[in-house]
Amino acid sequence: MNETERRLTEAFEQYKDLVIRNSLYYVKDYYAAEDICQETFVRFAARTDKIPEKKTKAWLLCVSENLSLDHLKKGGKRRAIIGLPVAEELEWDRSGDTDLEDLMIRMEERQTAMSVMELLREKNQDWHRVIWLFAMWKV
């Protein structure tokens, strides 16, 4: 197994659920989110050598968000909103130990942050871009 295949396999195993959830947040259709996840990893495989290993997660989230927004634009089901990347703490704990109330609070906080970012984008696109890029850098 060469380096590209190793990185692709590791990234897929580690981030596939996160990428699907990120897409599902936008498209609200599990099968479309799976397709977007597949396309995200196809693009990752083509560019693996150009993406620093520590930026893999941010790159995957950014590409899956952009593909999700493109999907919505083509379908015309929802207005495109540039949002913050999905935070690690929104991952679902499959063991059943996740407090649903805490998860809902975090989801509401994320929605509020996205609304603020949308208002900021309308008010001053330069500030919006700086904050959005900083948020991507922190992921």
Side-chain angles (χ1 to χ4, degrees):
M1 179 181 297
N2 65 28
E3 182 66 18
T4 302
E5 290 174 353
R6 180 196 64 80
R7 278 197 64 200
L8 178 61
T9 301
E10 286 178 3
F12 184 75
E13 289 301 317
Q14 188 172 2
Y15 299 120
K16 68 179 176 192
D17 293 334
L18 183 62
V19 170
I20 288 174
R21 278 194 306 278
N22 189 41
S23 296
L24 190 57
Y25 178 80
Y26 292 99
V27 299
K28 308 293 189 234
D29 177 0
Y30 184 78
Y31 298 108
E34 280 186 329
D35 291 343
I36 290 167
C37 178
Q38 181 179 5
E39 179 62 25
T40 300
F41 281 99
V42 166
R43 291 182 183 197
F44 178 72
R47 293 169 182 84
T48 303
D49 55 333
K50 296 177 180 120
I51 303 166
E53 204 156 336
K54 66 182 192 177
K55 300 274 185 180
T56 299
K57 178 181 173 184
W59 190 92
L60 291 169
L61 289 173
C62 184
V63 170
S64 66
E65 179 178 342
N66 289 336
L67 289 172
S68 298
L69 293 173
D70 288 345
H71 173 80
L72 293 173
K73 286 179 190 176
K74 290 176 184 173
K77 296 178 184 174
R78 186 172 159 191
R79 189 169 66 101
I81 298 174
I82 297 176
L84 298 173
V86 173
E88 186 71 30
E89 67 265 14
L90 290 180
E91 289 190 22
W92 185 258
D93 180 6
R94 294 175 188 221
S95 68
D97 295 336
T98 301
D99 184 4
L100 188 56
E101 184 177 351
D102 289 341
L103 182 62
M104 293 304 294
I105 289 170
R106 288 192 303 254
M107 299 267 305
E108 288 173 3
E109 288 171 351
R110 183 173 193 274
Q111 184 61 41
T112 301
M114 288 187 65
S115 298
V116 168
M117 288 298 291
E118 176 63 17
L119 291 171
L120 181 59
R121 185 178 65 83
E122 292 171 2
K123 188 78 171 168
N124 188 323
Q125 289 186 353
D126 291 334
W127 291 356
H128 173 268
R129 182 144 179 86
V130 167
I131 291 171
W132 187 81
L133 289 172
F134 181 76
M136 288 302 296
W137 177 73
K138 295 291 279 181
V139 171

